[in-house]
């Protein structure tokens, strides 16, 4: 799949989550999730349970008992004056009244005096619309320490979740009380007055230290219960100032407890912290596509489990944060998770249905003739398919194709079982899923077995088998192996099995051919060549000796013409002897009778020796030999390598003009850089081959012989290493060429695990390149075959 296809696939996978996230975010901004978030808010408080109130906070409540004792509310202000006088004896830190005395009263002087005596009193006021404020009368306000507003903002469900720290520059009553408290005690950190202060409800308001107004008034509350406390005075009687909290729904609490909770939150630093809506929207928009991408990689059952686990994890995460006094929205993320899961499931069903229709249509187009031909005998004929509802036709079409494929598979299995060739198919893990009787007999296995356990070590070594698998997976051609088993020669070949729609490697096919008869014929041919060469060489050698004796003049002298005839005959016999020797050498090399004797040798010595051997020939042809040796140790057969170099230099000298040059150079590729001037003549295509080879070996040596001769025509370059192939037959014969020298060179180089190739331009010369590994090569010739396959593509 290309980059565009992968991008399209990813976009399809994140589409459900992206659209769901966008919808959830829009509904969030519209407040659609508010009722669910309100329920989650109340649920989190009840799951967390109550917290401990700060012991410095005390509530003096105007409760039902106080109303019975002192009469209906509102009361005369003399009672509040008496309360303050009584509290003065207990010495509280601050007294805050959740009551507004905006009108004047005859009892104001007494209350004013009591406020002055107390010294630290906070009075309430209520800012209204259009700048109007309901505040204490000027006489009482002038003696109070400060004032604080008692406004609260109830949610749509009636529960108070936050207060405004400041309204029209008037602090909230609880904040004002904390400010006064900080003047006499240790200063308390105040919240940002420009942001909402979210209430962290402690639990039942009955758990806060609270006392009845009438009991405090009559001195029934010990002074130490009120000393150094922040005392909040307000109405707690039923139905007068109701307050809904997560812990008080029916019945409700009273408003004074809101301010007591604010004071306790500020004293303990436990105000509820709310994650900003902007961050929540970012989380929603990011998590939706990501969750959709994750879901698309799972099967349906796992998708449901992932949905459930994600919901529970988010609720647990929100609960943990809530214990740390952080409130994170719960409903909208769960709605996102649920919606994404549902949309993903639906979209995948639609996508699968669409893909099924497309694939069935494609398969029908490919195999329609087979289906039509067998529609009468098929269990799912075309006529029956067309009679089905439109939505069900793809299913019946797929069933018809499966029926035909099953028939085809059965026929192919019968054919495979009747072959004399062994066939075996396995997946990439080596598990056999098909084998015919011939393969089962030779390898002693059956379907379901692991091939490796039957091949290693009886047929191949562990290293050889792993090499074949690596070549197969990398797309290289796996070398054919000849194996001798139970008196027979078998040829084993491994071929890739490709999944046709995508051409991906899906397994491999192992083919076993009995080549015993062919091996016997090749052996007979080899024996015949050896015998014929021997029978030819003996008389030719005898004739060469006789002619040599005649040419010495010991048996008499000849005329100039006779002497010329002797020279021609001697040259022809020499050429025939070289031809016979080359044929015999090539046959022995390719048949394996001649094996390499690799050893650590000095490459510079071999190159120098080759030039010294060919120097006489170069002098005779008026050709200059230029040697650029490389001093290093390499693993090779020095005699065979010397034979290759002398052969190539000999050819270069033969076809170089008088006064020309022949270069012999070498380079260690593992140290090669782009700036190497010695490699200027190596083409870009060969650079590709060299760089590819370096990935398959620990290091290589590049040797090349370059001349300034006539060059080789392009139409003959591909066959220059074949037997008896010569650029110019008449010229080659005149120069003593047999047409086998380059074939012998290629065989020797391949035995080393390397490769040889040529580049040439007519009229400018030719360059023959040898690429030889510096370390012992693999016996299967992996390196050579890999480079030859790449060169063949150039």
């Amino acid at each position: 799949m290309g980059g565009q296809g992968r991008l399209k696939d990813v976009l399809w996978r994140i589409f459900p989550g992206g659209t769901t996230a966008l919808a959830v975010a829009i509904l969030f901004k519209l407040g659609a999730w508010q009722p669910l978030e309100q329920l989650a808010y109340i649920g989190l408080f009840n799951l967390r349970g109550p917290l401990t109130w700060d012991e410095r906070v005390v509530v003096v409540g105007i409760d039902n008992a106080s109303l019975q004792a002192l009469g209906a509310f509102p009361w005369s202000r003399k009672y509040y004056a008496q309360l303050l006088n009584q509290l003065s004896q207990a010495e509280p830190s601050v007294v805050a009244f959740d009551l507004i005395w905006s009108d004047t009263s005859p009892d104001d002087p007494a209350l004013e005096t009591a406020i002055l005596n107390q010294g630290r009193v906070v009075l309430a006021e209520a800012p209204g619309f259009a700048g109007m404020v309901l505040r204490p009368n000027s006489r009482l306000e002038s003696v109070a320490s400060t004032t604080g507003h008692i406004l609260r903002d109830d949610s749509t469900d009636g529960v108070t979740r936050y207060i405004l720290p400041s309204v029209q520059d008037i602090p909230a009553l609880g904040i004002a009380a904390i400010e006064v408290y900080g003047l006499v005690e240790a200063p308390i950190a105040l919240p940002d007055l420009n942001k909402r202060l979210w209430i962290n409800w402690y639990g039942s308001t009955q758990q806060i230290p609270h006392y009845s107004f009438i009991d405090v008034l009559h001195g029934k509350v010990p002074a130490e219960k009120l000393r150094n406390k922040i005392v909040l005075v307000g109405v707690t009687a039923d139905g007068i100032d109701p307050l809904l909290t997560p812990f008080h729904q029916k019945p409700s609490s009273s408003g004074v407890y809101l301010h007591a909770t604010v004071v306790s939150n500020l004293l303990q630093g436990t105000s509820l912290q709310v994650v900003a809506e902007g961050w929540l929207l970012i989380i929603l928009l990011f998590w939706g596509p990501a969750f959709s991408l994750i879901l698309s990689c799972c099967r349906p059952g796992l998708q449901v489990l992932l949905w459930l686990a994600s919901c529970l994890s988010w609720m647990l995460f929100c609960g943990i944060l809530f214990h740390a006094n952080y409130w994170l929205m719960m409903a909208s993320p769960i709605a996102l998770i649920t919606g994404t899961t549902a949309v993903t499931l639906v979209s995948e069903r639609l996508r699968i249905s669409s893909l099924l229709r497309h694939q069935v249509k494609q398969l029908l187009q490919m195999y329609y003739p087979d289906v039509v031909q067998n529609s009468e005998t098929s269990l799912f004929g075309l006529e029956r398919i067309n009679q089905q509802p439109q939505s069900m036709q793809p299913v019946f079409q797929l069933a018809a194709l499966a029926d035909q494929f099953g028939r085809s598979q059965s026929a192919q299995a019968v054919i495979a079982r009747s072959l004399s060739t062994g066939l075996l198919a396995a997946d990439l893990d080596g598990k056999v899923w098909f084998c015919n009787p011939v393969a089962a007999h030779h390898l002693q296995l059956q379907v379901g077995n692991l091939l490796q356990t039957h091949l290693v070590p009886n047929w191949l070594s562990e290293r050889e088998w792993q090499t074949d698998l690596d070549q197969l997976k990398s797309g290289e051609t796996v070398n054919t192996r000849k194996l001798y088993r139970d008196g027979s020669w078998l040829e084993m070949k491994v071929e890739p099995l490709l999944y046709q729609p995508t051409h991906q490697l899906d397994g491999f096919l192992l083919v076993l051919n009995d080549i015993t008869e062919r091996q016997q014929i090749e052996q007979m041919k080899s024996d015949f060549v050896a015998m014929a060469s021997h029978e030819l060489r003996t008389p030719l050698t005898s004739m060469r000796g006789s002619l040599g004796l005649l040419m010495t003049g010991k048996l008499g002298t000849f005329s100039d013409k006779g002497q010329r005839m002797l020279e021609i005959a001697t040259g022809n016999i020499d050429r025939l002897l070289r031809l016979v020797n080359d044929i015999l050498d090539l046959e022995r090399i390719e048949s394996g009778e001649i094996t390499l004797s690799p050893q650590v040798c000095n490459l510079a010595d071999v190159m120098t020796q080759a030039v010294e051997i060919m120097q006489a020939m170069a002098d005779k042809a008026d050709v200059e030999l230029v040697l650029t040796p490389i001093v290093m140790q390499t693993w090779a057969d020095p005699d065979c390598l010397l034979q290759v170099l002398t052969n190539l230099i000999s050819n270069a000298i033969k076809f170089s003009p008088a006064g020309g040059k022949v270069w012999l150079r070498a380079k260690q590729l593992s140290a090669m850089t782009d700036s190497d001037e010695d490699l200027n003549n190596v083409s870009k295509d060969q650079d590709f081959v060299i760089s590819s080879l370096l990935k398959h070996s620990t290091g290589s040596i590049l040797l090349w012989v370059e001349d300034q001769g006539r060059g080789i025509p392009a139409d003959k370059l591909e066959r220059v290493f074949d037997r008896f192939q010569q650029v110019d037959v008449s010229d080659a014969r005149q120069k003593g060429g047999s047409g086998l020298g380059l074939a012998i060179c290629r065989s020797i180089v391949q035995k080393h695990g390397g490769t040889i190739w040529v580049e040439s331009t007519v009229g400018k010369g030719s360059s023959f390149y040898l690429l030889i590994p510096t370390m012992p090569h693999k016996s299967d010739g992996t390196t050579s075959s890999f480079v030859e396959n790449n060169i063949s593509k150039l």
Side-chain angles (χ1 to χ4, degrees):
M1 182 185 295
Q4 186 176 1
R6 285 192 294 269
L7 178 61
K8 184 178 180 181
D9 182 66
V10 171
L11 291 177
W12 178 264
R13 291 173 183 270
I14 67 176
F15 175 76
T19 54
T20 304
L22 184 60
V24 170
I26 293 174
L27 292 175
F28 177 81
K29 293 298 292 183
L30 295 176
W33 307 114
Q34 186 175 358
L36 295 177
E37 295 291 3
Q38 291 172 350
L39 291 176
Y41 173 89
I42 295 173
L44 286 171
F45 273 106
N46 285 277
L47 287 174
R48 186 203 65 186
L51 299 177
T52 303
W53 289 81
D54 193 286
E55 61 182 8
R56 291 170 287 183
V57 181
V58 173
V59 171
V60 174
I62 302 175
D63 55 4
N64 294 334
S66 299
L67 292 177
Q68 291 178 359
L70 299 178
F73 193 79
W75 292 337
S76 171
R77 293 176 188 172
K78 65 179 180 179
Y79 296 124
Y80 303 112
Q82 295 174 8
L83 177 70
L84 285 174
N85 292 330
Q86 188 68 34
L87 288 174
S88 296
Q89 301 176 13
E91 298 180 353
S93 296
V94 179
V95 177
F97 285 93
D98 182 19
L99 300 168
I100 299 178
W101 298 314
S102 58
D103 57 339
T104 58
S105 170
D107 299 323
D108 283 347
L111 182 57
E112 178 185 0
T113 301
I115 292 174
L116 286 173
N117 291 335
Q118 172 59 36
R120 294 178 296 277
V121 176
V122 180
L123 299 182
E125 60 179 284
F129 295 103
M132 297 180 60
V133 180
L134 190 63
R135 59 198 324 157
N137 62 56
S138 58
R139 185 169 190 171
L140 297 179
E141 184 178 3
S142 64
V143 296
S145 298
T146 186
T147 60
H149 77 78
I150 56 174
L151 296 181
R152 65 175 189 248
D153 192 353
D154 297 337
S155 302
T156 55
D157 60 350
V159 176
T160 302
R161 291 176 169 80
Y162 62 87
I163 66 167
L164 298 177
S166 177
V167 177
Q168 298 179 11
D169 296 328
I170 302 171
L173 182 65
I175 294 176
I178 288 294
E179 289 177 339
V180 175
Y181 180 80
L183 297 176
V184 295
E185 304 291 344
I188 305 298
L190 295 177
D192 187 347
L193 299 182
N194 296 318
K195 296 181 179 180
R196 294 174 178 177
L197 179 64
W198 291 83
I199 310 300
N200 191 356
W201 296 103
Y202 286 88
S204 173
T205 54
Q206 299 301 316
Q207 294 176 351
I208 189 173
H210 64 283
Y211 306 102
S212 174
F213 187 98
I214 193 65
D215 289 341
V216 176
L217 191 63
H218 292 164
K220 295 181 180 180
V221 178
E224 59 270 14
K225 298 290 186 180
L226 303 171
R227 185 170 291 114
N228 299 327
K229 307 293 185 181
I230 299 176
V231 178
L232 290 104
V233 182
V235 179
T236 61
D238 295 339
I240 297 180
D241 186 17
L243 173 71
L244 296 183
T245 76
F247 299 101
H248 294 275
Q249 301 286 314
K250 294 180 180 180
S252 62
S253 181
S254 299
V256 69
Y257 289 108
L258 168 64
H259 308 295
T261 303
V262 170
V263 172
S264 187
N265 282 172
L266 294 176
L267 289 174
Q268 295 182 339
T270 57
S271 300
L272 203 59
Q273 304 298 318
V274 179
V275 177
E277 290 185 1
W279 283 107
L280 182 62
L281 288 175
I282 292 174
I283 293 174
L284 292 176
L285 294 175
F286 170 78
W287 177 241
F291 188 61
S292 176
L293 184 62
I294 295 172
L295 285 175
S296 66
C297 300
C298 304
R299 62 181 186 273
L302 188 58
Q303 289 176 339
V304 175
L305 290 177
L306 189 60
W307 161 75
L308 182 60
S310 299
C311 291
L312 293 176
S313 298
W314 183 258
M315 288 189 287
L316 179 62
F317 179 64
C318 291
I320 294 174
L321 286 181
F322 202 77
H323 271 277
N325 302 322
Y326 284 89
W327 179 34
L328 185 60
M329 300 295 181
M330 183 186 295
S332 47
I334 291 179
L336 172 65
I337 295 171
T338 303
T340 300
T341 304
V343 175
T344 299
L345 289 172
V346 172
S347 64
E348 283 190 352
R349 299 289 80 76
L350 294 175
R351 187 182 184 190
I352 290 173
S353 177
S354 176
L355 288 175
L356 177 61
R357 291 178 180 275
H358 175 73
Q359 289 291 87
V360 169
K361 182 179 180 181
Q362 189 176 34
L363 290 172
L364 279 175
Q365 291 174 349
M366 294 173 62
Y367 302 104
Y368 182 78
D370 294 334
V371 176
V372 172
Q373 183 178 356
N374 297 283
S375 60
E376 296 299 327
T377 58
S378 172
L379 296 175
F380 303 93
L382 290 180
E383 183 177 351
R384 181 181 177 186
I385 293 174
N386 294 329
Q387 293 175 353
Q388 303 301 320
Q390 187 70 24
S391 60
M392 293 297 295
Q393 285 189 9
V395 177
F396 280 86
Q397 290 171 345
L398 187 61
L401 288 172
D403 180 48
Q404 297 306 317
F405 289 151
R407 292 167 180 259
S408 177
Q409 177 65 24
S410 298
Q412 293 176 13
V414 171
I415 295 172
R417 284 193 291 267
S418 65
L419 293 175
S420 59
T421 299
L423 294 177
L424 178 148
D427 57 28
L428 292 177
D429 294 328
K431 188 173 183 179
V432 178
W433 54 267
F434 173 81
C435 67
N436 68 353
V438 177
H441 169 73
H442 283 302
L443 298 172
Q444 295 298 305
L445 52 66
Q446 58 185 1
V447 173
N449 292 160
L450 287 177
L451 179 59
Q452 183 175 353
T453 60
H454 294 265
L455 280 179
V456 179
N458 296 328
W459 290 70
L460 301 173
S461 67
E462 177 71 28
R463 181 179 179 182
E464 289 174 330
W465 177 239
Q466 191 60 45
T467 297
D468 286 355
L469 288 181
D470 291 342
Q471 289 179 325
L472 185 75
K473 293 176 182 178
S474 63
E476 301 174 29
T477 301
V478 181
N479 294 318
T480 301
R481 298 184 182 276
K482 294 181 181 179
L483 304 167
Y484 186 75
R485 298 287 297 173
D486 300 329
S488 300
W489 281 95
L490 297 174
E491 183 181 68
M492 187 177 75
K493 181 69 174 177
V494 178
E495 297 284 354
L497 286 178
L498 300 177
Y499 180 62
Q500 288 304 318
T502 60
H503 296 283
Q504 292 181 341
L505 185 63
D506 193 42
F508 59 87
L509 182 70
L510 187 143
V511 183
L512 288 173
N513 284 316
D514 191 328
I515 59 170
T516 303
E517 184 176 352
R518 189 172 74 190
Q519 284 293 106
Q520 291 174 348
I521 293 174
E522 290 181 0
Q523 184 63 42
M524 291 173 62
K525 182 187 72 172
S526 178
D527 294 341
F528 172 77
V529 170
M531 180 188 69
S533 298
H534 177 74
E535 294 300 324
L536 286 172
R537 188 159 47 181
T538 299
L540 286 173
T541 303
S542 177
M543 293 169 62
R544 178 65 175 83
S546 298
L547 289 174
L549 182 61
L550 289 173
M551 292 178 68
T552 61
K554 293 181 180 181
L555 299 180
T557 59
F558 294 87
S559 63
D560 291 342
K561 184 176 182 181
Q563 190 69 24
R564 178 58 181 162
M565 295 298 293
L566 286 175
E567 291 175 356
I568 293 174
T570 300
N572 286 333
I573 290 176
D574 289 341
R575 187 173 63 81
L576 286 175
L577 278 173
R578 285 195 298 271
L579 178 60
V580 170
N581 289 333
D582 286 347
I583 291 175
L584 184 58
D585 288 346
L586 183 60
E587 188 62 35
R588 292 173 66 189
I589 291 173
E590 293 184 349
S591 64
E593 293 183 18
I594 295 180
T595 58
L596 298 180
S597 299
Q599 56 185 283
V600 177
C601 62
N602 191 315
L603 187 62
D605 292 343
V606 177
M607 295 174 65
T608 303
Q609 187 178 359
V611 171
E612 290 175 351
I613 292 173
M614 302 309 300
Q615 189 62 57
M617 181 179 177
D619 294 340
K620 184 178 179 180
D622 190 19
V623 174
E624 181 184 353
L625 290 182
V626 180
L627 173 63
T628 306
I630 178 172
V631 180
M632 69 166 296
Q633 303 294 322
T634 188
W635 184 263
D637 186 322
D639 294 333
C640 291
L641 186 56
L642 179 63
Q643 180 181 354
V644 173
L645 293 179
T646 55
N647 194 309
L648 294 178
I649 296 173
S650 173
N651 286 345
I653 293 173
K654 290 176 183 178
F655 295 100
S656 292
K661 290 184 178 182
V662 172
W663 291 270
L664 173 59
R665 299 188 179 100
K667 190 68 181 178
Q668 185 177 4
L669 293 187
S670 56
M672 183 178 68
T673 64
D674 294 337
S675 61
D676 285 332
E677 296 180 358
D678 291 341
L679 295 178
N680 287 337
N681 293 329
V682 180
S683 70
K684 294 181 179 179
D685 289 337
Q686 303 305 340
D687 282 338
F688 162 74
V689 174
I690 292 168
S691 63
S692 299
L693 174 65
L694 289 176
K695 298 177 182 178
H696 293 74
S697 62
T698 57
S700 299
I701 294 295
L702 178 67
L703 299 98
W704 68 100
V705 176
E706 181 181 353
D707 62 53
Q708 296 176 325
R710 68 185 65 177
I712 304 172
D715 59 339
K716 293 190 176 182
L717 276 176
E718 294 183 358
R719 304 191 304 274
V720 74
F721 292 101
D722 294 344
R723 299 183 183 189
F724 305 110
Q725 292 295 323
Q726 297 174 330
V727 177
D728 189 324
V729 176
S730 60
D731 189 52
R733 287 178 178 175
Q734 183 181 355
K735 296 179 181 294
S738 65
L740 292 174
L742 291 180
I744 293 174
C745 290
R746 181 175 64 177
S747 296
I748 292 176
V749 172
Q750 288 179 343
K751 288 288 184 179
H752 279 82
T755 190
I756 183 172
W757 71 93
V758 62
E759 289 187 353
S760 181
T761 302
V762 176
K764 293 185 178 181
S766 303
S767 297
F768 285 81
Y769 297 94
L770 283 73
L771 199 58
I772 301 177
T774 58
M775 299 297 292
H777 72 286
K778 300 177 182 179
S779 60
D780 56 11
T782 300
T783 301
S784 176
S785 63
F786 171 79
V787 179
E788 285 187 351
N789 289 339
N790 280 281
I791 291 176
S792 66
K793 300 175 184 177
L794 300 179

